[in-house]
Amino acid sequence: MSKSVNIKDLNVYYSDFMAVQDVTMDIAPRSVTAFIGPSGCGKSTLLRTLNRMHEVIPGAHVQGQVLVDGDDLYGAGVDPVTVRRQIGMVFQRPNPFPTMSIKENVLAGVRLNNKRIPRATAEALVEKSLQGANLWNEVKDRLDKPGQGLSGGQQQRLCIARAIAVEPEVLLMDEPCSALDPISTLAVEDLINELKDSYTVVIVTHNMQQAARVSDKTAFFNIAGTGKPGRLIEYSDTTTIFNNPVQQATEDYVSGRFG
């Protein structure tokens, strides 16, 4: 189920403005890759190109290739909706659908894909997805209650359950813990460690300790100045990035000297 992601010579634009320049990197299946770097260096923008969410913004476009198991997501005739089904996204702020119950939130993506599923199958999928998001035991007795009635950390795990219910191959997370308290953050981090057994996970984080805790590989991005594009400075095993980076800029960032 989990797939490799290969980014080749990728430039990302908002109309004429180049936001990210010349990124090439290979992301292994069944691993967690963290994108780190100062604000405005293109981490979230790059993340959004990996499931074609970037182009939802008018004028946004890319040059280069994003290959998932060798298939170019930006190839001729590729349907972006299909891409987004294969590559799930969890956003910075938990966003359960306000009018839906916990159960219906989990099934929302599946129903959106026009899949009619028998009731027994739906119930099994809800349980499996909530188990996968480490949330089942907390909510199994109130599946028909509103998703928005959960705590922030539970809402974020509900959104993860919703993302994995459609059985994606890759899971993208854009600062998934930035709105959460430390205990909820720990729960989501534990979950990320488990998810990599089944998925290729890519996470954007501003939290250095989090990147060190959850990721196998880390990509450090930087920006030369306002109005300049973000660039990939260094990409390696997480232990190397934090303990023995090659680039001085990487060392300055991870040691807290700037950013």
Side-chain angles (χ1 to χ4, degrees), residues 33-39 43 92 173-186 189 192 203-215 217-219 238 241-242 253-256 259:
T33 301
F35 290 178
I36 63 169
S39 295
K43 305 180 298 294
Q92 191 169 357
M173 298 184 164
D174 192 358
E175 294 190 59
C177 301
S178 66
L180 305 182
D181 63 84
I183 290 170
S184 298
T185 295
L186 189 63
E189 287 182 2
I192 290 167
I203 177 172
V204 168
T205 180
H206 275 287
N207 183 326
M208 296 297 105
Q209 292 79 19
Q210 183 171 77
R213 283 192 298 261
V214 305
S215 68
K217 297 191 81 168
T218 296
T238 295
I241 291 288
F242 282 94
Y253 186 75
V254 299
S255 64

Side-chain angles (χ1 to χ4, degrees), residues 133-212:
N134 283 347
L135 190 58
W136 173 250
N137 289 335
E138 295 165 54
V139 303
K140 62 185 179 187
D141 299 324
R142 47 177 174 152
L143 296 176
D144 293 323
K145 297 281 193 294
Q148 282 208 316
L150 299 173
S151 72
Q154 289 172 326
Q155 286 187 25
Q156 190 63 297
R157 282 180 286 147
L158 177 60
C159 293
I160 293 168
R162 185 174 69 197
I164 62 180
V166 297
E167 300 184 329
E169 292 145 357
V170 179
L171 198 56
L172 310 177
M173 298 184 164
D174 192 358
E175 294 190 59
C177 301
S178 66
L180 305 182
D181 63 84
I183 290 170
S184 298
T185 295
L186 189 63
V188 173
E189 287 182 2
D190 286 344
L191 173 56
I192 290 167
N193 276 319
E194 291 173 25
L195 288 170
K196 77 173 178 187
D197 292 340
S198 305
Y199 304 97
T200 306
V201 181
V202 186
I203 177 172
V204 168
T205 180
H206 275 287
N207 183 326
M208 296 297 105
Q209 292 79 19
Q210 183 171 77

Side-chain angles (χ1 to χ4, degrees), residues 10 49 113 122 129 204:
L10 195 70
T49 66
N113 294 332
S129 303
V204 168

Side-chain angles (χ1 to χ4, degrees), residues 59-134:
H61 60 284
V62 307
Q63 295 170 341
Q65 292 181 305
V66 177
L67 306 172
V68 175
D69 264 17
D71 295 326
D72 188 0
L73 302 187
Y74 288 91
V78 175
D79 178 12
V81 176
T82 306
V83 169
R84 290 172 205 141
R85 193 177 307 152
Q86 295 168 329
I87 303 177
M89 185 92 161
V90 176
F91 295 94
Q92 191 169 357
R93 296 206 166 270
N95 58 345
F97 297 118
T99 60
M100 290 187 186
S101 67
I102 293 168
K103 180 168 82 177
E104 287 304 319
N105 259 288
V106 175
L107 294 170
V110 182
R111 297 211 198 286
L112 199 65
N113 294 332
N114 299 322
K115 285 189 185 168
R116 289 187 65 80
I117 49 176
R119 184 169 174 177
T121 310
E123 288 180 357
L125 180 60
V126 168
E127 180 173 351
K128 180 184 168 195
S129 303
L130 289 168
Q131 292 268 23
N134 283 347

Side-chain angles (χ1 to χ4, degrees), residues 11-17 19 45 48-49 52-63 74:
N11 296 319
V12 189
Y13 294 87
Y14 293 99
S15 297
D16 295 334
F17 173 67
T45 295
R48 291 165 68 91
T49 66
R52 296 188 60 167
M53 284 286 291
H54 174 65
E55 66 199 55
V56 172
I57 300 163
H61 60 284
V62 307
Q63 295 170 341
Y74 288 91

